[in-house]
Structures are given as structure tokens and as C-alpha cells.
Amino acid sequence: MSLLKIENLVKTYGTFKALNQLNLEVKEKEIYGFIGRNGAGKTTTLHSIMQFISFDEGIISFDGKPLNKDDNSYKEYISFVPDVPSFPEYLKGREVLMLTADFIGIQKEKQKALIDSIIEKTYLPYPNKKVSQYSRGMKQRLAIACGLLKQPKLLIMDEPTSALDPIGRKSLLDLIKSLKNEMTILYSTHILSDAQNVCDRIGLIENGTLLLEGDIHEVLNHKTTNKYVIESDKTQEVYKLFSKHAKFVKEVDLIDNQVHFSLKESAKQRDIHALLATYEVSINRLYKQSKSLEDVFMEVLDNENTA
Amino acid sequence: MKTLLKYDWLYFIKTPRLIIFIALPVFLSALSALSARYMNVLLEYAMASEGIEGITFPDPTIEDAYIQFYSNYSQIFMIVFIFIGVGLLTIGITKNHYPFIFTHAVSKKNFLLSKIIILMSVTIVGMLVGAMVFAGYTYLLFETFDGLYFSLSLLMFILSVLFVLSIMSLMSFAFKSYIAAISLSIIIYILLTSLTGLKYGIFEYFPHRIFEFPILVTQKELDFPMFIASGITLFLSVFMIFMSIKVFKKRSLM
């Protein structure tokens, strides 16, 4: 069942169409990777969901109910972690969490224990320091802690790893993975390896339109790769053979003592074996190159630009 | 609403602003009574030191103390109030606090009203403390003090603060900039206070006159147009706050 559904969303700034008939569906308890280039429309979409901005056309439904601009009660079940979090600088990290607990309506007697557990879960350092002394990465952790405090049905994160160092990034991705069956996560990012690492499904947005949406494995096989790699003790010989005699090959390259090549669309894997047998060339290993999300991303954008 | 009030209250107690709102009225009150009482002595001393002799100044009266008090409040306190007040009203934009607040089920109306309530409450408390210091000091120096009329004049001044606050609120939520809001609020305030003398015909019912009412009340010059003008000022203040809410509701947060 879908928890969040966006249908034909349109948002314009003057003559610029930031969102153009955007459709998106986030299912319950999944981690949905919302990927796209900078300026593709990710943040505009998230701000529309949170009603920080109005939109021109379309419907956003949460838990089956269309959002109404006069009713923000749905926010009791949603947490939003912005890309550049900002808090009252005169408060300490713990005080920000206490204020957040008040906004959520958590009873006073339950606040301390809950806040302590969230601090531990998010590895928030120096909760008793003033926010003005926090780095951007620490503020991002604090924002995530505030988001989790609500124990939301849907956690929306806008580029949450953008300000984190590699260790911080890894621990955040681990945290997101650990939340997998607790809540639904809409995770916006342009760091594709992060999305590939944690997401169940992804949606690729470009120029305000969703170009691709689906299960991460489906998406990675969006177009079956036709790239192969051969490992051999006679790499040079194989390279020459494929360069001169393999008519079914589109491109051949020698990378790191491996022969990388792609097949023409009409070619089949058995053509490779036939060629190797004909010229009696022995190899150690032949395998299909796996696709990364980045490959798919580039492929889809290339196709879009060609179209 | 309770949490929003707490959030705005923290803005005062976790920063030096609350101290400013209490200390400034206390300082101005003490200064007003003292300067009114000894201004003639100071002027005579200053002139004598410059070699100007023979000019004597009349003995100060309690009215001079009231005038001094409201002059200081309308010039110094009100400007500080505008600066701090616009800072609080525009904090969502200037410090990007909107995502932190509006990620929760918070209404824009309550967000704005909370700021108005806290600003007015802190101002009233500061003014009451200042008024008590002024009353004590004035009684000590002049051996007289009209508590009833002074209280009434203080009410008039608080009404003028509400009027200025409603202007600040409209400017803060209509323009997405601290500089624009503060500049326009100060310009409008200076313009209105410079027009207080304009009281011919229909103008005597206009709200710009509110700024001279506190002194007129201490001089016991109460008349019917004054009550009408006060009523209109109150109505206009409420209307401008209502308009601020309307503008804010229509405006996007980012």
C-alpha cells in the first residue's frame, strides 16, 4: 500500500517549470531513493509535500488522504530533515530536542529517556553544547535526531549526507538501514552510491519529471548490460583478436590487464565463445559487467537528451 | 500554541534581550526623573562655565518629569523595541527556522500570534517595572505623583506600542527581508510621530495622534476625539495583525 502518492504535480516559478507532471509513489516501510541532479526538482518536491511552498496543479496524498492546505495534521506523522538544518543558535542540542519533544507533544516525564536514546542512536556528539558551536555535520545529526524523536510514519530526508565526513556518512547509512522496518523513508540524494546502498526502490527525477521508478534491482537491470570482461594470461592476444576479428563487438578496451568490450545489439554470448574456440585462445574468466546506479542514471539521461 | 510561546520566550531568556527589555526602561525611568529635576541646575552650571551669566531657568515641575519620561520612551525605547521586535518576527526567514518549526503540525496563525503575545508581554512587564521605578524616583524628587493619570497615560503608551507592533508585523510578513521590514517600520514610525501635530478636522480622530496622548493624559487634557482616536488605533492595530496573518498564510515559507 502506498503511504505517499504524488500525482501530476506541477510547480512553476515565473516561466520556469520546476515540477512538470511529477508522479511518484512511496510504499509503506520502504526506503525510497529520490535521485536526480542538482536543480532537478527534488527539494521542490519535498517542500511541496511539507507545504513549505504551494504547488500549481496536482494531488499529494498521504496515507490515502489528499493534502489540504488548511489542515496540517498529517505532519504529526511526518518528519523532515532539511539539507541545511538550522536551529535557534542560543539553545543547546539537548534543549532543541526538548523543544522538539514539546512540539510533538511527548509527555515531560517520558522526554528525558526518549531523548537520551535518540542521542545514542544518532551518535549526536556534545548534546550539552550550544548549537552555535556545532559544525554543519553535527547540525545534520541533530536534525535527524529531531526527525526520529517523532517516531514518524514517514521520514523525509533531503541530502542528509551532504555535510558528513566519510565515517559520519557510513554511520548515517547504517542508521537508515537499521530503520528499514520501523518507518518509511523518502531519501533524496544525488550521491548515487548511497542510494544504491540503502534504498529498496528509487525514482529518478530530471527537469521536474520522473524518468524512471522501480525496485532497485529492476532499475539496475533497466536495460540489460551488454558489457563484458575477459581475464586471461594472454590479454594482449585476446585484445588483438577482439579488435580485428570480432564483428559482433561494438567497442573494445584494455583496462587493468583486462579486456573490456561491449556487444552489438544483435550479438549473443555464444558468439564470444565461438570466436575464442576458432582461434584457440584460452581465457581464465568471462563475465558480464554489473551495472551501477550511476550507469543507469547516465543511460537514462542520455536517452532523455537524445529523445 | 504553548510550545510556540515557549520557543519565543526562549528567544528572550537565552539571549540578552530580556535584560535589555527590563534594564532599558529602568534606566530611562531613573534618567527621566533625574534629568527633569536637575535639568535647570545643569543648564545654569553649563552656561556659567561658558561665561554666560544672568539666565535663570524656572523650577521644574512634575509635568516636566512626565514629558521627559515619554520623550525617552518614544525615542529610545521604541527604536530598540522595533529593532528587537522585527528581529523576532523575521527570525524564520533570517535564520531559516521555518523547516524546524513547520515540520510539525503548527499553524501559521499561532506562529505569528505567539510572537505578538510574547513581544507585548515582555514590553508590558518591562514598562511596568520602569513605571514603578519612575513613580518612586519622581515621588522622591518632586514629592508628588499622580498615580491614576500616570497609569492611564501608560495605557495609552502601551496602545501606541501595540500600534507600532502591528505595523512591524505587517512589514515583517509582507516582505521577506529583515532590512526591508526594519527600514519601513522605522520610516513609518518617524513619519507618524512627526505628524502628531496634525489634528485639524477629521485628522483629530486619526491614529497618528496616539503618540501624543500619553503626555496629554498626564496633563489631564482628555477629550472625546482622544477616545475615538484611541478606539480607531486599537481597531487598526487588530486589523493590521489580522492582515499579517492573511499575508503570511498565503506566502510560501521558502
Side-chain angles (χ1 to χ4, degrees):
Chain A
M1 190 198 157
S2 71
L3 185 65
L4 179 78
K5 196 172 183 185
I6 296 178
E7 294 163 275
N8 306 317
L9 196 67
V10 177
K11 170 71 187 172
T12 49
Y13 293 103
T15 54
F16 174 68
K17 242 181 188 175
L19 298 178
N20 188 7
Q21 300 290 333
L22 179 80
N23 289 289
L24 187 150
E25 196 174 348
V26 181
K27 293 173 184 164
E28 258 182 63
K29 298 281 163 73
E30 74 172 359
I31 303 178
Y32 185 100
F34 193 37
I35 61 172
R37 285 194 275 206
N38 288 332
K42 301 189 294 294
T43 301
T44 305
T45 308
L46 303 187
H47 285 178
S48 300
I49 297 168
M50 295 307 297
Q51 296 195 344
F52 294 162
I53 55 171
S54 58
F55 46 89
D56 307 322
E57 289 170 38
I59 300 167
I60 301 176
S61 308
F62 177 72
D63 222 358
K65 287 178 198 154
L67 301 191
N68 171 354
K69 70 181 169 90
D70 296 319
D71 177 18
N72 55 20
S73 57
Y74 73 101
K75 289 185 183 178
E76 287 170 20
Y77 309 100
I78 294 185
S79 282
F80 176 70
V81 178
D83 52 346
V84 186
S86 185
F87 303 98
E89 303 263 304
Y90 42 84
L91 296 182
K92 293 171 185 167
R94 188 180 284 277
E95 288 172 335
V96 168
L97 287 166
M98 283 164 71
L99 193 61
T100 303
D102 284 340
F103 273 120
I104 298 165
I106 298 169
Q107 289 172 334
K108 285 275 175 215
E109 54 271 26
K110 289 182 183 169
Q111 282 188 7
K112 197 188 173 299
L114 197 56
I115 288 169
D116 284 341
S117 75
I118 293 288
I119 287 172
E120 204 181 310
K121 199 171 190 176
T122 53
Y123 303 106
L124 179 70
Y126 313 115
N128 295 320
K129 267 193 176 181
K130 278 194 176 174
V131 175
S132 57
Q133 294 171 290
Y134 275 24
S135 67
R136 202 181 144 196
M138 284 158 76
K139 282 183 191 170
Q140 211 140 23
R141 276 178 187 284
L142 180 58
I144 293 162
C146 289
L148 292 181
L149 203 56
K150 201 184 268 184
Q151 295 173 311
K153 274 189 180 178
L154 174 64
L155 175 65
I156 299 176
M157 301 169 111
D158 190 6
E159 312 265 7
T161 56
S162 59
L164 300 179
D165 55 45
I167 298 166
R169 214 173 106 199
K170 192 190 169 299
S171 69
L172 176 65
L173 293 176
D174 289 343
L175 173 68
I176 293 171
K177 276 184 198 169
S178 75
L179 297 170
K180 203 163 195 153
N181 294 316
E182 287 179 38
M183 60 187 73
T184 309
I185 299 175
L186 173 55
Y187 177 80
S188 156
T189 185
H190 62 256
I191 305 171
L192 303 178
S193 55
D194 287 357
Q196 190 170 350
N197 198 354
V198 296
C199 297
D200 301 311
R201 289 204 314 136
I202 62 137
L204 195 165
I205 185 174
E206 172 71 1
N207 294 329
T209 308
L210 205 70
L211 296 183
L212 182 71
E213 186 181 49
D215 183 274
I216 187 84
H217 302 294
E218 273 174 30
V219 168
L220 289 174
N221 294 315
H222 174 60
K223 279 189 176 173
T224 315
T225 181
N226 60 357
K227 289 181 180 172
Y228 289 81
V229 179
I230 287 179
E231 290 173 5
S232 168
D233 298 331
K234 297 169 184 173
T235 317
Q236 287 292 339
E237 205 177 312
V238 176
Y239 176 66
K240 278 178 195 165
L241 175 68
F242 274 74
S243 305
K244 284 184 185 172
H245 303 291
K247 289 178 182 165
F248 52 84
V249 165
K250 214 193 297 184
E251 284 169 20
V252 193
D253 223 340
L254 198 61
I255 303 165
D256 294 336
N257 212 28
Q258 290 175 326
V259 179
H260 289 243
F261 60 94
S262 57
L263 297 183
K264 286 180 181 169
E265 275 178 28
S266 56
K268 299 222 162 60
Q269 198 173 333
R270 63 170 180 263
D271 296 330
I272 305 168
H273 293 292
L275 183 75
L276 292 168
T278 308
Y279 288 89
E280 294 177 345
V281 176
S282 62
I283 60 166
N284 300 336
R285 195 175 162 219
L286 165 71
Y287 60 91
K288 229 177 186 181
Q289 218 174 19
S290 61
K291 237 180 195 181
S292 69
L293 192 54
E294 200 165 327
D295 294 327
V296 177
F297 184 81
M298 296 311 292
E299 213 173 286
V300 173
L301 290 190
D302 280 348
N303 289 347
E304 180 67 12
N305 290 339
T306 315
Chain B
M1 187 66 172
K2 214 171 124 191
T3 311
L4 283 169
L5 289 169
K6 182 183 171 185
Y7 162 71
D8 289 323
W9 174 237
L10 286 169
Y11 177 79
F12 279 94
I13 59 162
K14 293 279 179 183
T15 65
R17 290 173 181 89
L18 185 66
I19 297 168
I20 295 172
F21 264 67
I22 304 292
L24 186 66
V26 169
F27 172 73
L28 291 177
S29 299
L31 187 74
S32 302
L34 277 170
S35 58
R37 177 64 187 86
Y38 297 110
M39 188 56 82
N40 60 335
V41 180
L42 286 170
L43 285 172
E44 279 170 16
Y45 178 77
M47 292 179 113
S49 66
E50 292 295 320
I52 306 165
E53 301 274 347
I55 300 176
T56 51
F57 292 90
D59 279 341
T61 61
I62 183 89
E63 279 73 31
D64 294 321
Y66 296 138
I67 291 170
Q68 198 66 47
F69 177 82
Y70 284 116
S71 299
N72 284 337
Y73 268 67
S74 58
Q75 284 161 17
I76 301 167
F77 180 77
M78 201 68 109
I79 295 295
V80 172
F81 171 76
I82 292 174
F83 270 94
I84 293 179
V86 172
L88 177 66
L89 292 165
T90 57
I91 198 165
I93 283 287
T94 56
K95 302 286 182 190
N96 193 26
H97 285 182
Y98 285 150
F100 172 61
I101 301 295
F102 288 100
T103 193
H104 305 291
V106 167
S107 87
K108 286 182 171 177
K109 184 183 90 182
N110 287 353
F111 177 82
L112 194 150
L113 286 178
S114 152
K115 294 186 185 313
I116 303 267
I117 291 168
I118 287 290
L119 266 170
M120 273 316 285
S121 307
V122 172
T123 306
I124 289 171
V125 170
M127 290 220 50
L128 286 177
V129 173
M132 281 192 279
V133 171
F134 176 73
Y137 241 119
T138 308
Y139 188 75
L140 209 71
L141 297 169
F142 292 90
E143 291 172 353
T144 175
F145 189 79
D146 194 334
L148 178 67
Y149 278 88
F150 180 73
S151 302
L152 200 57
S153 71
L154 207 59
L155 270 179
M156 286 293 184
F157 188 80
I158 287 168
L159 181 58
S160 74
V161 171
L162 179 68
F163 183 52
V164 172
L165 177 57
S166 67
I167 294 168
M168 286 155 54
S169 166
L170 194 56
M171 295 302 118
S172 299
F173 289 97
F175 299 94
K176 286 183 173 182
S177 143
Y178 174 77
I179 298 292
I182 197 104
S183 311
L184 287 165
S185 300
I186 288 178
I187 289 169
I188 293 170
Y189 176 64
I190 291 172
L191 200 72
L192 287 172
T193 49
S194 65
L195 290 175
T196 45
L198 186 67
K199 46 189 166 188
Y200 311 108
I202 196 166
F203 287 112
E204 69 178 335
Y205 302 108
F206 275 38
H208 65 279
R209 290 195 61 216
I210 192 72
F211 300 107
E212 67 165 353
F213 287 171
I215 292 175
L216 289 179
V217 171
T218 59
Q219 291 165 353
K220 298 176 185 169
E221 289 181 26
L222 285 87
D223 55 14
F224 181 68
M226 185 186 275
F227 286 104
I228 297 290
S230 303
I232 289 172
T233 306
L234 182 63
F235 171 77
L236 209 61
S237 304
V238 173
F239 177 73
M240 280 195 283
I241 291 169
F242 172 76
M243 286 307 291
S244 308
I245 295 169
K246 218 170 169 188
V247 167
F248 187 41
K249 272 187 170 177
K250 275 191 178 174
R251 213 187 63 185
S252 70
L253 296 171
M254 308 307 248

